[in-house]
């Protein structure tokens, strides 16, 4: 056998082998993951996690609370353009940071004092302090002493729809305009903003400072959608003092 014939046979076998590899290559790539890295403009790029009317409706249905049902009905009644704008406000870090406010006044009588701050024409923050007498005071020979309950609530509304409502209250015995004994306090949160989780609400031990008593709590908002950013912590407090006065606030920490 000549060297030329042997070389021709080796060359033919190499071509056939290369063709076989080319045929098998697509099958091999289908069986295993690709090592290619998707580019920013490719369809394989990571999609952002944002609220849509569809996902927000699904979120409200899953909550199964009276507040969520009321919000669902009101949200569905909005025009599509307003639904999208509504969700934009929910996902805005700037709006939630602005959520809060302060109040001062007198606790005399069973009454509620309200004040409203307009963030813009669509969003408003409603502050309310409710003063009421209760029968939760100490039991004495003359009967149970009356006590006063001061509850401070701040509510964010978008298109007049309540989104988040945070409340803290203090209960105490009062005599001649002075806080004699702090009985307790508590907090309550209602949140149908699907862009954030809000946790906390444990009321710190109520204290007696001279002739005043207070209750305070801390709320932590953590993002559920992309773009909201790091946690936002808010401090809510209500205090009653000399002369049946109160002061309350919800502020960023």
């Amino acid at each position: 056998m000549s060297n030329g014939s042997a070389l021709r046979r080796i060359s033919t076998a190499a071509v056939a082998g290369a063709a076989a590899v080319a045929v098998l290559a697509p099958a091999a790539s289908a069986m295993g993951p690709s090592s290619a890295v998707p580019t920013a403009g490719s369809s394989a790029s990571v999609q952002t996690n944002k609220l849509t009317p569809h996902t927000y409706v699904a979120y409200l249905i899953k909550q199964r609370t009276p507040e969520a049902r009321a919000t669902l009905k009101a949200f569905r009644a909005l025009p599509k353009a307003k639904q999208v704008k509504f969700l934009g406000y929910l996902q805005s870090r700037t709006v939630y940071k602005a959520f809060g406010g302060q109040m001062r006044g007198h606790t005399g009588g069973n009454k509620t004092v309200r004040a409203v701050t307009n963030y813009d024409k669509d969003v408003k923050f409603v502050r309310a302090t409710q003063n009421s007498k209760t029968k939760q005071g100490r039991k004495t020979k003359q009967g149970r002493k009356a006590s006063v309950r001061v509850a401070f609530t701040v509510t964010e509304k978008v298109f007049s729809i309540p989104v988040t409502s945070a409340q803290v209250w203090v209960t105490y015995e009062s005599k001649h305009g002075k806080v004699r004994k702090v009985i307790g306090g508590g907090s309550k949160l209602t949140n149908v903003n699907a862009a954030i989780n809000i946790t906390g609400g444990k009321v710190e031990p109520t204290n007696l400072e001279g002739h005043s008593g207070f209750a305070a709590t801390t709320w932590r908002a953590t993002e559920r959608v992309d773009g909201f950013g790091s946690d936002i912590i808010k401090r809510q407090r209500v205090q009653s003092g000399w002369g049946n006065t109160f002061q309350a606030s919800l502020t960023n920490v």
Side-chain angles (χ1 to χ4, degrees):
M1 182 185 299
S2 66
N3 290 338
S5 298
L7 289 173
R8 281 195 297 273
R9 280 196 290 271
I10 292 172
S11 177
T12 300
V15 170
V21 170
V23 171
L24 291 174
S29 64
M31 292 171 62
S34 172
S35 60
V37 178
T39 62
S42 71
S43 59
S45 297
V46 176
Q47 295 183 357
T48 58
N49 174 30
K50 294 289 187 181
L51 288 178
T52 66
H54 175 74
T55 58
Y56 186 56
V57 166
Y59 165 86
L60 292 174
I61 292 174
K62 189 176 180 180
Q63 298 309 298
R64 300 181 183 278
T65 64
E67 294 83 7
R69 286 192 289 271
T71 303
L72 177 61
K73 182 178 179 180
F75 180 75
R76 280 175 164 169
L78 293 175
K80 292 297 182 182
K82 276 195 171 184
Q83 288 185 353
V84 174
K85 198 173 183 181
F86 179 95
L87 297 179
Y89 284 123
L90 265 57
Q91 298 171 92
S92 170
R93 180 182 183 86
T94 304
V95 172
Y96 185 74
K97 286 204 76 171
F99 173 53
Q102 302 184 39
M103 289 190 80
R104 294 174 181 267
H106 288 80
T107 61
N110 293 331
K111 62 181 180 180
T112 300
V113 181
R114 286 187 174 86
V116 179
T117 298
N118 292 321
Y119 177 80
D120 61 16
K121 63 185 180 64
D122 302 327
V123 180
K124 63 181 63 176
F125 306 137
V126 181
R127 306 183 304 281
T129 302
Q130 184 180 31
N131 311 308
S132 57
K133 288 187 176 181
T134 73
K135 290 293 183 182
Q136 297 178 4
R138 291 176 293 116
K139 189 175 181 180
T140 65
K141 293 180 179 179
Q142 293 76 29
R144 189 169 293 278
K145 282 187 173 292
S147 62
V148 179
R149 182 179 187 270
V150 181
F152 174 62
T153 309
V154 186
T155 303
E156 177 189 340
K157 292 187 176 183
V158 180
F159 296 130
S160 298
I161 302 173
V163 171
T164 302
S165 183
Q167 181 185 90
V168 65
W169 70 84
V170 63
T171 307
Y172 59 92
E173 290 179 4
S174 176
K175 185 176 182 180
H176 302 310
K178 301 177 182 179
V179 176
R180 295 295 189 183
K181 183 179 177 62
V182 174
I183 300 171
S187 68
K188 179 182 179 181
L189 176 76
T190 301
N191 181 50
V192 291
N193 184 347
I196 52 177
N197 284 323
I198 303 177
T199 57
K202 182 179 180 181
V203 173
E204 297 177 0
T206 53
N207 294 279
L208 194 63
E209 299 176 342
H211 291 295
S212 67
F214 73 90
T217 192
T218 300
W219 306 106
R220 180 184 292 272
T222 304
E223 71 170 4
R224 297 185 72 249
V225 298
D226 295 338
F228 185 84
S230 58
D231 293 359
I232 294 178
I233 303 174
K234 292 184 179 289
R235 174 91 164 167
Q236 190 170 10
R237 170 186 171 111
V238 61
Q239 177 173 332
S240 290
W242 180 272
N244 293 322
T245 60
F246 75 83
Q247 53 184 332
S249 62
L250 174 64
T251 56
N252 297 318
V253 175

